[in-house]
Amino acid sequence: LIMGDTQTAVTLMQMNEKLDEGAIIQQQDLKLPPSLMRDELETEATTIAIDMVKQNLMELHSKGKVSQVPQIHTEATYTRLLKKQHGFVSIKALLQAIHGQTLDEEILIHQQYRMRNNIPAQNISQAAQTIYNLYRGLSPWPGIWTEITTSEGKKRLKLLTMHLEKNSLVLDRVQLEGKKPTDYATFNRSYTLQ
């Protein structure tokens, strides 16, 4: 979701001594609609995985074995645990998204993923879609956020809900550090994003 992929897969694999290196028992593709959120993906993938386990346990019981195909390790990509810092969006990138502009800096988590997997730099994309994808993949935890300057100094602004309208990002709900969540219109009357 974070990288804007339109398809993923649920894989049932044989465990071995290495992480994610066992043979593939079964794999099912899963389309990723452009508005799908991570919790929805987790629910759908879990349902598919449960069905796959049931099916393969029945096969193991009736035949005494299940089919396995070795993984192609040279085509594997790697990820790591998400941290709160991965949800950071610079105020500059956020404003570009709100105004429907092209992103002129790479989002940190995109850069780390690309470098870890030896993927060449891609064309800088529409800021709104890039940040919306980040929101889809990091909500509800660790969430996405930026920092703003207030009369009390720098404060974290959590971007709680948002949506796309054409090529622009529309913030719906935000939460300023130390304050209760509020709709963006109310927040914007008291604070200005700069």
Side-chain angles (χ1 to χ4, degrees), residues 17-83:
E17 62 281 348
K18 294 185 178 178
L19 182 64
D20 288 344
E21 290 212 2
I24 296 171
I25 297 170
Q26 186 178 355
Q27 193 168 58
Q28 183 176 326
D29 289 342
L30 181 58
K31 293 201 181 306
L32 302 174
S35 62
L36 186 74
M37 299 296 290
R38 189 179 78 207
D39 59 343
E40 297 168 321
L41 174 58
E42 289 171 352
T43 299
E44 192 170 344
T46 299
T47 301
I48 292 169
I50 290 168
D51 289 343
M52 289 168 60
V53 169
K54 286 179 186 175
Q55 179 183 357
N56 282 278
L57 283 175
M58 288 190 295
E59 183 177 336
L60 182 62
H61 179 72
S62 67
K63 296 181 182 177
K65 64 179 183 174
V66 291
S67 303
Q68 296 184 22
V69 176
Q71 288 193 49
I72 303 170
H73 300 293
T74 57
E75 294 180 7
T77 56
Y78 301 92
T79 189
R80 67 171 119 188
L81 291 175
L82 295 173
K83 297 180 181 174

Side-chain angles (χ1 to χ4, degrees), residues 30-193:
L30 181 58
K31 293 201 181 306
L32 302 174
S35 62
L36 186 74
M37 299 296 290
R38 189 179 78 207
D39 59 343
E40 297 168 321
L41 174 58
E42 289 171 352
T43 299
E44 192 170 344
T46 299
T47 301
I48 292 169
I50 290 168
D51 289 343
M52 289 168 60
V53 169
K54 286 179 186 175
Q55 179 183 357
N56 282 278
L57 283 175
M58 288 190 295
E59 183 177 336
L60 182 62
H61 179 72
S62 67
K63 296 181 182 177
K65 64 179 183 174
V66 291
S67 303
Q68 296 184 22
V69 176
Q71 288 193 49
I72 303 170
H73 300 293
T74 57
E75 294 180 7
T77 56
Y78 301 92
T79 189
R80 67 171 119 188
L81 291 175
L82 295 173
K83 297 180 181 174
K84 196 160 197 77
Q85 71 209 40
H86 290 135
F88 175 73
V89 175
S90 73
I91 195 69
K92 178 181 176 184
L94 181 60
L95 289 171
Q96 288 172 334
I98 289 170
H99 297 295
Q101 299 170 347
T102 301
L103 194 63
D104 66 5
E105 61 185 41
E106 192 169 26
I107 302 292
L108 175 65
I109 195 168
H110 287 190
Q111 182 182 42
Q112 291 173 340
Y113 179 84
R114 197 178 44 68
M115 291 170 67
R116 189 170 44 258
N117 291 291
N118 296 316
I119 298 170
Q122 300 172 346
N123 293 334
I124 299 298
S125 63
Q126 283 300 111
Q129 187 66 58
T130 300
I131 292 174
Y132 184 69
N133 288 342
L134 188 66
Y135 162 71
R136 291 172 50 220
L138 296 182
S139 290
W141 193 92
I144 67 171
W145 55 278
T146 192
E147 283 185 337
I148 65 166
T149 303
T150 70
S151 59
E152 300 170 359
K154 285 202 178 247
K155 296 254 183 178
R156 182 177 292 205
L157 179 67
K158 294 180 186 177
L159 311 174
L160 301 176
T161 59
M162 62 184 65
H163 67 277
L164 292 174
E165 282 185 13
K166 298 184 182 176
N167 290 330
S168 296
L169 185 73
V170 178
L171 299 178
D172 298 315
R173 292 190 59 76
V174 297
Q175 182 178 10
L176 187 62
E177 181 180 337
K179 304 282 185 183
K180 292 182 180 181
T182 185
D183 63 277
Y184 181 68
T186 301
F187 167 83
N188 212 26
R189 285 194 290 270
S190 300
Y191 302 91
T192 304
L193 296 181

